[in-house]
Amino acid sequence: MERKKLVFATNNQHKLRELRQIAGDRWEILSLADIGCHEDIPETASTLQGNAEIKARYVKEHYGYDCFADDTGLLVDALNGEPGVYSARYAGPAHDSEANMKLLLRNMVGVADRSAHFSTVIALCLGSDIHFFEGRVDGHIEQTPRGEEGFGYDPVFTPEGSALTFAQMDSDAKNAVSHRGRAVKKLMDYLLS
């Protein structure tokens, strides 16, 4: 049986690898590069849901593929929800994970309340319909980075109930509890129902 094709509107190889692992062999997950989409789709919405929808609709309208897109934010309570929708470009437009993490830790110096959560919203354009799936994981921001796995803010985020940062977990352990893993599970449950 031929696997159904679905475009994941990303060129982020970390996200793509993570998602292909979660999806398994049920769907063939294509990247933007796989369909020849090399333009930078603007993320101009003020919410994670809005940005995910912009990206998914763009691919559907310009390339004709059923598509899903995600937007993820790290929301820190003591920073009024920052970096939030600007998580990937917190330290500037270069999407520099190391600079973003350093800025976050600088902004958290002397802050006692280190509670935070990651949120992922997935927008799925399937035929003419759009559906949304959200995953969230609560935790806290560490004083210093720990671990070599993962990407983004993973070295400074420890999920509730764990002594390990996301960057100290292997991909299976992270996918089992992460915001993206939870949102993707909802997406996959929907696609297989």
Side-chain angles (χ1 to χ4, degrees):
M1 189 179 93
E2 190 180 347
R3 294 187 298 166
K4 292 183 182 168
K5 287 180 167 57
L6 192 59
V7 173
F8 180 17
T10 190
N11 280 315
N12 181 320
Q13 292 306 308
H14 297 289
K15 281 186 184 182
L16 201 57
R17 187 168 49 249
E18 202 170 86
L19 208 111
R20 285 175 172 155
Q21 278 181 321
I22 296 167
D25 56 8
R26 298 167 284 196
W27 289 78
E28 183 180 353
I29 307 293
L30 304 173
S31 69
L32 291 174
D34 292 334
I35 63 165
C37 176
H38 301 290
E39 48 269 42
D40 193 14
I41 304 167
E43 296 179 36
T44 53
S46 60
T47 63
L48 299 174
Q49 179 174 316
N51 281 335
E53 183 175 356
I54 286 170
K55 292 184 282 188
R57 284 193 188 278
Y58 184 93
V59 170
K60 184 70 176 173
E61 288 166 9
H62 291 82
Y63 293 87
Y65 285 93
D66 286 335
C67 175
F68 68 95
D70 79 318
D71 200 21
T72 294
L74 173 65
L75 295 90
V76 180
D77 295 348
L79 299 179
N80 298 314
E82 283 184 14
V85 75
Y86 302 106
S87 293
R89 47 195 189 280
Y90 191 44
H95 293 251
D96 182 335
S97 294
E98 193 68 27
N100 290 338
M101 195 166 42
K102 284 179 178 170
L103 177 60
L104 175 67
L105 291 177
R106 267 199 313 276
N107 289 341
M108 297 286 293
V109 169
V111 175
D113 176 11
R114 303 190 74 84
S115 57
H117 72 274
F118 267 115
S119 182
T120 292
V121 178
I122 294 175
L124 169 68
C125 276
L126 203 55
S128 58
D129 298 331
I130 188 141
H131 307 275
F132 297 98
F133 308 90
E134 185 170 2
R136 173 182 168 139
V137 63
D138 293 289
H140 66 270
I141 303 300
E142 295 293 340
Q143 300 282 345
T144 55
R146 296 195 329 253
E148 303 298 322
E149 300 298 315
F151 60 98
Y153 298 94
D154 287 357
V156 296
F157 182 83
T158 299
E160 270 180 9
S162 176
L164 303 177
T165 67
F166 273 162
Q168 292 174 299
M169 298 177 181
D170 68 31
S171 59
D172 288 339
K174 180 187 171 189
N175 289 340
V177 298
S178 79
H179 46 294
R180 188 170 296 104
R182 290 173 180 180
V184 169
K185 183 180 183 325
K186 290 176 185 176
L187 169 71
M188 289 298 156
D189 287 349
Y190 177 80
L191 289 172
L192 295 170
S193 67

